[in-house]
């Protein structure tokens, strides 16, 4: 009964109406540039779908809200839910961080990841989680999912009170009519809440939250929102110019998404942005990336 009540409280917290801050007051920066950039995307192409959210981690105040409850494809961002379940299981004796998992036929998927290019036939569970955090490793993701089970990840997601964010399937090179149409989906408001809760040590428990943050701090993809922060993509686990970032990106055909937590010398913010668009040419893609970078500049100004 206690767990049911806690889940209900989480859901109510996420669903609480939020008032977007369209313009700053006093010394608080505004997000006018972000509204303009994302608005222009939709004006240029009516098929573009945008969702964004930013919440002050310390105060819980919503500082940006753009269709933040809309459920959109988020590609590899959903792998965070797998990492949370892995981190939670490390407290049980039958799922140790040093347990060895093997490559198996049929689990390998092209594109993202390093393990498919390495000779090592087996790796510890903790190393696979680190690969998922660092490179969105598809092979490591599938091996972990085969060990844990998608149902367990779904149960964990529901226990967190998330209703529009989910990891739907294994990673696949092609998706048939019987497969989930997307790897994952999510709403910006839930993803920004999730990163804020991780930063506060509230996901499962403080130790599990720190494990997940540790894996995510290895992320080498700073090509979207985080491209505005001026950090070293391969080495940013510590504060650089008083800027500390933990993030996760999701990239697929016609999908660009990012969620993270950013801390500066004045404030800390949890954010998420997802854009679904017609990836018909390089210009369309670059417009989306530039809009996400503009969001990053506004976030950087807010925390500093």
């Amino acid at each position: 009964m206690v767990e049911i009540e806690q889940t209900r409280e989480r859901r109510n917290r996420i669903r609480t109406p939020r008032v977007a801050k369209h313009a700053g007051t006093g010394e608080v920066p505004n997000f006018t540039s972000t509204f303009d950039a994302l608005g222009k995307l939709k004006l240029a192409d009516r098929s573009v779908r945008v969702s964004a959210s930013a919440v002050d981690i310390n105060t819980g105040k919503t500082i940006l809200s753009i269709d933040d409850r809309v459920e959109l494809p988020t590609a590899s961002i959903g792998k965070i839910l797998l990492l949370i379940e892995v981190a939670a299981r490390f407290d049980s004796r039958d799922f140790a961080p040093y347990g060895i998992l093997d490559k198996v036929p049929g689990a390998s998927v092209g594109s993202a990841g390093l393990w498919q290019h390495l000779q090592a036939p087996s790796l510890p569970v903790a190393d696979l989680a680190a690969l998922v955090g660092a490179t969105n490793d598809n092979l490591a993701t599938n091996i972990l999912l085969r060990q844990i089970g998608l149902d367990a990840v779904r149960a964990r997601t529901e226990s967190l009170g998330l209703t529009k964010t989910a990891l739907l399937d294994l990673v696949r090179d092609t998706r048939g009519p019987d497969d989930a149409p997307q790897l994952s989906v999510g709403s910006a408001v839930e993803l920004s809440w999730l990163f804020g809760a991780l930063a506060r040590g509230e996901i499962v428990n403080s130790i599990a939250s720190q494990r997940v943050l540790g894996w995510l701090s290895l992320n080498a993809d700073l090509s979207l929102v985080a491209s505005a922060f001026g950090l070293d993509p391969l080495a940013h686990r510590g504060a650089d110019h008083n800027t500390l970032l933990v993030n996760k990106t999701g990239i697929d055909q016609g999908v660009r998404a990012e969620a993270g937590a950013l801390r500066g010398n004045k404030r800390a913010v949890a954010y998420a942005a997802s854009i679904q668009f017609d990836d018909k040419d390089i210009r369309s893609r670059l417009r989306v990336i530039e809009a996400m970078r503009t969001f990053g500049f506004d976030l950087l100004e807010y925390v500093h």
Side-chain angles (χ1 to χ4, degrees), residues 277-296:
F277 63 103
D278 183 4
D279 199 355
K280 56 189 175 183
D281 53 45
I282 191 64
R283 291 183 178 179
S284 299
R285 183 183 298 177
L286 291 177
R287 279 196 294 267
V288 168
I289 294 173
E290 187 59 33
M292 298 190 81
R293 181 179 299 158
T294 299
F295 183 27

Side-chain angles (χ1 to χ4, degrees), residues 162 214 249:
L162 303 175
T249 55

Side-chain angles (χ1 to χ4, degrees), residues 10-124:
R10 292 189 189 102
R11 285 176 177 164
N12 290 338
R13 214 163 41 232
I14 295 170
R15 292 171 179 170
T16 300
R18 289 162 168 78
V19 178
K21 191 175 185 64
H22 289 251
T25 58
E27 64 178 19
V28 178
N30 63 57
F31 283 76
T32 302
S33 297
T34 298
F35 280 96
D36 289 345
L38 295 178
K40 287 178 181 177
L41 281 180
K42 300 184 75 171
L43 286 174
D45 186 346
R46 294 294 182 179
S47 67
V48 172
R49 302 178 70 197
V50 173
S51 179
S53 171
V55 179
D56 190 291
I57 291 175
N58 297 319
T59 68
K61 185 176 183 179
T62 298
I63 56 177
L64 177 81
S65 174
I66 302 176
D67 291 338
D68 61 0
R69 299 179 189 278
V70 175
E71 180 182 299
L72 291 179
T74 51
S76 288
I77 287 182
K79 295 174 184 178
I80 296 173
L81 302 171
L82 170 62
L83 294 180
I84 290 171
E85 179 62 18
V86 171
R89 291 194 176 203
F90 280 177
D91 292 331
S92 64
R93 294 183 178 180
D94 60 345
F95 197 85
Y98 303 110
I100 302 298
L101 296 181
D102 301 325
K103 290 180 181 177
V104 296
S108 183
V109 180
S111 64
L114 287 176
W115 196 17
Q116 62 184 319
H117 304 295
L118 303 180
Q119 297 302 309
S122 308
L123 286 173

Side-chain angles (χ1 to χ4, degrees), residues 223-262:
S223 63
L224 301 175
V225 177
S227 65
F229 305 153
L231 300 174
D232 183 344
L234 302 179
H236 56 273
R237 299 194 74 186
D240 185 355
H241 291 304
N242 294 319
T243 303
L244 184 63
L245 170 73
V246 177
N247 77 319
K248 192 72 174 161
T249 55
I251 294 177
D252 203 349
Q253 185 73 23
V255 175
R256 291 296 185 275
E258 180 174 334
L262 179 70

Side-chain angles (χ1 to χ4, degrees), residues 173-249:
D173 283 321
T174 58
R175 296 196 168 275
D178 296 328
D179 300 323
Q182 303 287 343
L183 174 62
S184 77
V185 294
S187 70
V189 68
E190 289 190 345
L191 289 170
S192 60
W193 173 85
L194 182 61
F195 266 90
L198 280 169
R200 293 187 296 268
E202 298 171 351
I203 298 300
V204 183
N205 53 51
S206 60
I207 295 175
S209 294
Q210 285 302 312
R211 287 176 183 142
V212 176
L213 290 173
W215 294 326
L216 296 178
S217 70
L218 300 169
N219 184 30
D221 185 6
L222 306 186
S223 63
L224 301 175
V225 177
S227 65
F229 305 153
L231 300 174
D232 183 344
L234 302 179
H236 56 273
R237 299 194 74 186
D240 185 355
H241 291 304
N242 294 319
T243 303
L244 184 63
L245 170 73
V246 177
N247 77 319
K248 192 72 174 161
T249 55

